[in-house]
């Protein structure tokens, strides 16, 4: 998701009528998840996600020895895999978060000459960086490779309340991972880079709008009636 500021009116359309879908269990940031199929946000983001899934099936982004990483990162990825296989779930998540957060942000315009583009892990690695959703996607598939259940993860598009205004809306993307009965947020802006804050630590700053994994897509009940100019 872009670091640029979006006109808020765009998301009046994209939010759609979330309240018309059946509610699910409580999700990330303590918000109720609602099936997103057929809604505006899903129509906008899902084609990009489906392209990522297709690309990942055709060319998996991760191997035990990091053979398909840039040479400078292959050995460090191989060491990470060996360490992760002996680590707790939380430490495994921390290792992946810190590994990719070393890489530099690159805008979609610079990397792909596109207004909005979700990069598959192979593309993210080739550029050795990307936009915020590209970090979230790479971390998601890295953790899948290391054995994490897809159902315990969400790539989450959030409204950044610290940057949004009445007239404009700025979005960000993070990876949320469920472990030890809590949601941990893997954010490429984390300081220090391997920091794993719990979701409630972002209350007031981030509001979830849409999330996705291999099993489904969701919007959030608490944002369905948000009044956006």
């Amino acid at each position: 998701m872009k670091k640029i500021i979006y006109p808020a009116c765009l998301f009046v359309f994209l939010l759609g009528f979330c309240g018309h879908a059946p509610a699910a269990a409580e999700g990330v940031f303590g918000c109720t998840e609602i099936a997103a199929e057929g809604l505006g946000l899903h129509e906008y983001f899902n084609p990009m996600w489906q392209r990522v899934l297709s690309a990942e099936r055709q060319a998996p982004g991760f191997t035990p020895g990091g053979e398909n990483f840039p040479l400078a990162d292959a050995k460090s990825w191989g060491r990470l895999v060996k360490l992760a296989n002996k680590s707790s779930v939380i430490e495994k998540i921390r290792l992946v978060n810190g590994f990719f957060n070393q890489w530099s942000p690159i805008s979609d315009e610079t990397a792909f000459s596109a207004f909005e583009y979700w990069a598959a892990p192979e593309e993210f690695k080739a550029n050795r960086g990307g936009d915020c959703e590209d970090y979230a996607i790479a971390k998601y598939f890295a953790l899948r490779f290391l054995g994490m259940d897809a159902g315990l993860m969400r790539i989450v598009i959030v409204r950044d309340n610290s940057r949004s205004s009445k007239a404009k809306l700025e979005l960000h993307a993070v990876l949320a991972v469920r472990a030890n009965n809590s949601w941990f947020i893997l954010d490429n802006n984390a300081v220090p880079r391997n920091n794993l804050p719990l979701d409630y630590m972002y209350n007031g700053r981030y509001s979830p709008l849409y999330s996705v994994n291999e099993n489904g897509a969701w919007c959030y009940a608490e944002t369905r009636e948000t009044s956006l100019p």
Side-chain angles (χ1 to χ4, degrees), residues 7 18 21 26 29 33-34 38 73 91 117 120 125 131 141 154 166 168 185 189 192 199 210 214 218:
C18 292
E26 184 178 277
F29 299 108
E33 292 182 337
I34 295 173
D73 301 298
E91 186 57 27
Y117 187 90
K125 293 188 306 178
D131 213 344
F141 284 108
R154 303 283 189 274
K166 289 184 177 180
K168 294 182 178 180
I185 303 302
N189 293 329
D199 61 347
Y210 177 82
E214 292 162 81
W218 301 268

Side-chain angles (χ1 to χ4, degrees), residues 33-55:
E33 292 182 337
I34 295 173
E37 286 78 0
L39 302 175
L41 285 169
H42 187 64
E43 297 301 314
Y44 182 74
F45 291 118
N46 186 55
M48 291 182 281
W49 175 236
Q50 292 303 317
R51 192 202 66 81
V52 167
L53 290 176
S54 177

Side-chain angles (χ1 to χ4, degrees), residues 6-125:
Y6 289 82
C9 59
L10 173 64
F11 290 90
V12 174
F13 166 74
L14 290 178
L15 279 170
F17 299 96
C18 292
H20 291 181
E26 184 178 277
V28 66
F29 299 108
C31 296
T32 301
E33 292 182 337
I34 295 173
E37 286 78 0
L39 302 175
L41 285 169
H42 187 64
E43 297 301 314
Y44 182 74
F45 291 118
N46 186 55
M48 291 182 281
W49 175 236
Q50 292 303 317
R51 192 202 66 81
V52 167
L53 290 176
S54 177
E56 177 65 12
R57 284 192 293 267
Q58 293 176 33
F62 299 99
T63 63
E67 290 82 2
N68 50 356
F69 267 84
L71 184 59
D73 301 298
K75 289 185 178 179
S76 55
W77 172 255
R79 289 193 296 268
L80 183 151
V81 171
K82 291 179 181 178
L83 183 57
N85 287 335
K86 300 183 292 185
S87 299
S88 67
V89 172
I90 298 299
E91 186 57 27
K92 183 184 298 186
I93 297 168
R94 192 183 304 279
L95 287 168
V96 168
N97 196 45
F99 181 88
F100 289 110
N101 280 1
Q102 300 176 81
W103 295 5
S104 300
I106 304 172
S107 70
D108 290 335
E109 290 90 342
T110 298
F112 303 106
S113 300
F115 176 75
E116 183 64 30
Y117 187 90
W118 287 22
E122 282 292 270
E123 297 169 307
F124 180 68
K125 293 188 306 178

